[in-house]
CSV table of all heavy atoms in Angstrom, one decimal:
chain,number,residue,atom,x,y,z
A,432,SER,N,-18.2,20.5,28.0
A,432,SER,CA,-17.9,19.5,29.0
A,432,SER,C,-18.8,18.3,28.6
A,432,SER,O,-20.0,18.4,28.5
A,432,SER,CB,-18.3,19.9,30.4
A,432,SER,OG,-18.1,18.9,31.3
A,433,ALA,N,-18.2,17.1,28.3
A,433,ALA,CA,-18.9,15.9,27.9
A,433,ALA,C,-18.0,14.7,28.2
A,433,ALA,O,-16.8,14.8,28.2
A,433,ALA,CB,-19.2,16.0,26.4
A,434,ARG,N,-18.7,13.6,28.4
A,434,ARG,CA,-18.1,12.3,28.6
A,434,ARG,C,-18.3,11.6,27.3
A,434,ARG,O,-19.4,11.3,26.9
A,434,ARG,CB,-18.7,11.6,29.8
A,434,ARG,CG,-18.3,12.2,31.1
A,434,ARG,CD,-19.0,11.5,32.3
A,434,ARG,NE,-18.4,11.8,33.5
A,434,ARG,CZ,-18.7,12.9,34.3
A,434,ARG,NH1,-19.6,13.8,33.8
A,434,ARG,NH2,-18.1,13.2,35.4
A,435,VAL,N,-17.2,11.3,26.6
A,435,VAL,CA,-17.3,10.7,25.2
A,435,VAL,C,-17.1,9.2,25.3
A,435,VAL,O,-16.1,8.8,25.8
A,435,VAL,CB,-16.4,11.4,24.3
A,435,VAL,CG1,-16.5,10.9,22.8
A,435,VAL,CG2,-16.6,12.9,24.3
A,436,SER,N,-18.0,8.4,24.7
A,436,SER,CA,-17.9,7.0,24.6
A,436,SER,C,-17.0,6.5,23.5
A,436,SER,O,-17.0,7.0,22.4
A,436,SER,CB,-19.3,6.4,24.5
A,436,SER,OG,-19.2,5.0,24.2
A,437,ASN,N,-16.1,5.5,23.8
A,437,ASN,CA,-15.3,4.9,22.8
A,437,ASN,C,-15.8,3.4,22.5
A,437,ASN,O,-15.0,2.6,21.9
A,437,ASN,CB,-13.8,4.8,23.3
A,437,ASN,CG,-13.6,4.1,24.6
A,437,ASN,OD1,-14.5,3.3,25.0
A,437,ASN,ND2,-12.5,4.3,25.2
A,438,ALA,N,-17.0,3.1,22.9
A,438,ALA,CA,-17.5,1.7,22.7
A,438,ALA,C,-17.5,1.3,21.2
A,438,ALA,O,-17.1,0.1,20.9
A,438,ALA,CB,-18.9,1.6,23.3
A,439,LYS,N,-17.8,2.2,20.3
A,439,LYS,CA,-17.9,1.8,18.9
A,439,LYS,C,-16.5,1.6,18.4
A,439,LYS,O,-16.3,0.7,17.5
A,439,LYS,CB,-18.5,3.0,18.1
A,439,LYS,CG,-18.8,2.6,16.7
A,439,LYS,CD,-19.5,3.8,16.0
A,439,LYS,CE,-19.6,3.5,14.5
A,439,LYS,NZ,-20.1,4.7,13.7
A,440,LEU,N,-15.5,2.3,18.8
A,440,LEU,CA,-14.1,2.1,18.4
A,440,LEU,C,-13.6,0.7,18.8
A,440,LEU,O,-13.0,0.0,18.0
A,440,LEU,CB,-13.2,3.2,19.2
A,440,LEU,CG,-11.7,3.0,18.9
A,440,LEU,CD1,-11.3,3.5,17.6
A,440,LEU,CD2,-10.9,3.8,20.0
A,441,LYS,N,-14.0,0.3,20.0
A,441,LYS,CA,-13.6,-1.1,20.4
A,441,LYS,C,-14.4,-2.1,19.7
A,441,LYS,O,-13.8,-3.2,19.3
A,441,LYS,CB,-13.8,-1.2,21.9
A,441,LYS,CG,-12.9,-0.3,22.7
A,441,LYS,CD,-13.3,-0.4,24.2
A,441,LYS,CE,-12.4,0.5,25.1
A,441,LYS,NZ,-12.8,0.5,26.5
A,442,ARG,N,-15.7,-1.9,19.5
A,442,ARG,CA,-16.6,-2.9,18.9
A,442,ARG,C,-16.3,-3.1,17.4
A,442,ARG,O,-16.2,-4.2,16.9
A,442,ARG,CB,-18.0,-2.5,19.2
A,442,ARG,CG,-19.0,-3.5,18.7
A,442,ARG,CD,-20.4,-3.1,19.0
A,442,ARG,NE,-20.8,-1.9,18.2
A,442,ARG,CZ,-21.0,-0.7,18.8
A,442,ARG,NH1,-20.8,-0.5,20.1
A,442,ARG,NH2,-21.4,0.4,18.0
A,443,GLU,N,-16.2,-2.0,16.7
A,443,GLU,CA,-16.2,-2.1,15.2
A,443,GLU,C,-14.7,-2.1,14.7
A,443,GLU,O,-14.5,-2.8,13.7
A,443,GLU,CB,-16.9,-0.9,14.6
A,443,GLU,CG,-18.4,-1.0,14.8
A,443,GLU,CD,-19.2,0.1,14.0
A,443,GLU,OE1,-18.5,0.9,13.3
A,443,GLU,OE2,-20.4,0.1,14.1
A,444,LEU,N,-13.8,-1.4,15.3
A,444,LEU,CA,-12.4,-1.4,14.8
A,444,LEU,C,-11.6,-2.3,15.6
A,444,LEU,O,-10.4,-2.6,15.2
A,444,LEU,CB,-11.9,0.0,14.9
A,444,LEU,CG,-12.5,1.1,14.0
A,444,LEU,CD1,-11.7,2.3,14.0
A,444,LEU,CD2,-12.7,0.5,12.6
A,445,GLY,N,-12.1,-2.9,16.7
A,445,GLY,CA,-11.3,-3.9,17.5
A,445,GLY,C,-10.1,-3.3,18.2
A,445,GLY,O,-9.1,-4.0,18.4
A,446,VAL,N,-10.1,-2.0,18.5
A,446,VAL,CA,-9.0,-1.4,19.1
A,446,VAL,C,-9.0,-1.7,20.6
A,446,VAL,O,-10.0,-1.5,21.3
A,446,VAL,CB,-9.0,0.1,18.9
A,446,VAL,CG1,-7.9,0.8,19.7
A,446,VAL,CG2,-8.8,0.4,17.4
A,447,THR,N,-7.8,-2.2,21.1
A,447,THR,CA,-7.6,-2.3,22.6
A,447,THR,C,-6.6,-1.2,23.0
A,447,THR,O,-5.5,-1.1,22.5
A,447,THR,CB,-7.0,-3.7,22.9
A,447,THR,OG1,-7.9,-4.7,22.5
A,447,THR,CG2,-6.7,-3.8,24.4
A,448,LEU,N,-7.1,-0.3,23.9
A,448,LEU,CA,-6.3,0.8,24.3
A,448,LEU,C,-5.1,0.4,25.1
A,448,LEU,O,-5.2,-0.4,26.1
A,448,LEU,CB,-7.1,1.8,25.0
A,448,LEU,CG,-8.3,2.4,24.3
A,448,LEU,CD1,-9.1,3.4,25.2
A,448,LEU,CD2,-7.9,3.2,23.1
A,449,ALA,N,-3.9,0.9,24.7
A,449,ALA,CA,-2.7,0.7,25.5
A,449,ALA,C,-2.8,1.5,26.8
A,449,ALA,O,-2.2,1.2,27.8
A,449,ALA,CB,-1.5,1.0,24.7
A,450,CYS,N,-3.5,2.7,26.7
A,450,CYS,CA,-3.6,3.6,27.8
A,450,CYS,C,-5.1,4.0,28.0
A,450,CYS,O,-5.5,5.0,27.6
A,450,CYS,CB,-2.8,4.9,27.6
A,450,CYS,SG,-1.0,4.6,27.3
A,451,PRO,N,-5.8,3.1,28.7
A,451,PRO,CA,-7.3,3.3,28.8
A,451,PRO,C,-7.6,4.5,29.7
A,451,PRO,O,-8.7,5.0,29.7
A,451,PRO,CB,-7.8,2.0,29.4
A,451,PRO,CG,-6.6,1.4,30.0
A,451,PRO,CD,-5.4,1.8,29.2
A,452,THR,N,-6.7,5.0,30.6
A,452,THR,CA,-6.9,6.1,31.4
A,452,THR,C,-5.7,7.0,31.4
A,452,THR,O,-4.6,6.6,31.0
A,452,THR,CB,-7.2,5.8,32.9
A,452,THR,OG1,-6.0,5.4,33.5
A,452,THR,CG2,-8.2,4.7,33.0
A,453,TYR,N,-5.8,8.3,31.8
A,453,TYR,CA,-4.6,9.2,31.9
A,453,TYR,C,-3.6,8.6,32.8
A,453,TYR,O,-2.4,8.9,32.6
A,453,TYR,CB,-5.1,10.6,32.2
A,453,TYR,CG,-5.5,10.7,33.7
A,453,TYR,CD1,-4.6,11.0,34.7
A,453,TYR,CD2,-6.9,10.7,34.0
A,453,TYR,CE1,-5.1,11.1,36.0
A,453,TYR,CE2,-7.3,10.9,35.3
A,453,TYR,CZ,-6.4,11.1,36.3
A,453,TYR,OH,-6.9,11.2,37.6
A,454,ARG,N,-4.0,7.9,33.8
A,454,ARG,CA,-3.0,7.3,34.7
A,454,ARG,C,-2.1,6.3,34.0
A,454,ARG,O,-0.9,6.3,34.2
A,454,ARG,CB,-3.7,6.7,36.0
A,454,ARG,CG,-4.4,7.7,36.9
A,454,ARG,CD,-5.0,7.1,38.1
A,454,ARG,NE,-6.1,6.1,37.7
A,454,ARG,CZ,-7.3,6.5,37.3
A,454,ARG,NH1,-7.7,7.8,37.3
A,454,ARG,NH2,-8.2,5.6,37.0
A,455,HIS,N,-2.7,5.4,33.2
A,455,HIS,CA,-1.9,4.4,32.5
A,455,HIS,C,-0.9,5.2,31.6
A,455,HIS,O,0.2,4.8,31.5
A,455,HIS,CB,-2.8,3.6,31.6
A,455,HIS,CG,-3.7,2.6,32.4
A,455,HIS,ND1,-4.9,2.9,32.9
A,455,HIS,CD2,-3.4,1.3,32.7
A,455,HIS,CE1,-5.4,1.9,33.5
A,455,HIS,NE2,-4.6,0.9,33.4
A,456,GLY,N,-1.4,6.2,30.9
A,456,GLY,CA,-0.5,6.9,30.0
A,456,GLY,C,0.6,7.7,30.7
A,456,GLY,O,1.7,7.6,30.2
A,457,LEU,N,0.3,8.4,31.8
A,457,LEU,CA,1.3,9.1,32.5
A,457,LEU,C,2.3,8.1,33.2
A,457,LEU,O,3.5,8.4,33.2
A,457,LEU,CB,0.7,10.0,33.5
A,457,LEU,CG,0.0,11.2,33.0
A,457,LEU,CD1,-0.7,12.0,34.1
A,457,LEU,CD2,0.9,12.1,32.2
A,458,ASP,N,1.8,7.0,33.7
A,458,ASP,CA,2.7,6.0,34.2
A,458,ASP,C,3.7,5.5,33.2
A,458,ASP,O,4.9,5.4,33.5
A,458,ASP,CB,1.9,4.8,34.7
A,458,ASP,CG,1.2,5.0,36.0
A,458,ASP,OD1,1.4,6.1,36.7
A,458,ASP,OD2,0.3,4.2,36.4
A,459,ALA,N,3.3,5.2,32.0
A,459,ALA,CA,4.2,4.8,30.9
A,459,ALA,C,5.1,5.9,30.5
A,459,ALA,O,6.3,5.6,30.3
A,459,ALA,CB,3.3,4.3,29.7
Side-chain angles (χ1 to χ4, degrees):
S432 178
R434 290 174 165 85
V435 182
S436 170
N437 59 20
K439 187 181 178 187
L440 176 77
K441 297 175 179 179
R442 182 179 68 251
E443 293 187 357
L444 296 189
V446 173
T447 299
L448 298 179
C450 301
T452 73
Y453 69 85
R454 292 181 300 278
H455 290 87
L457 289 176
D458 287 347

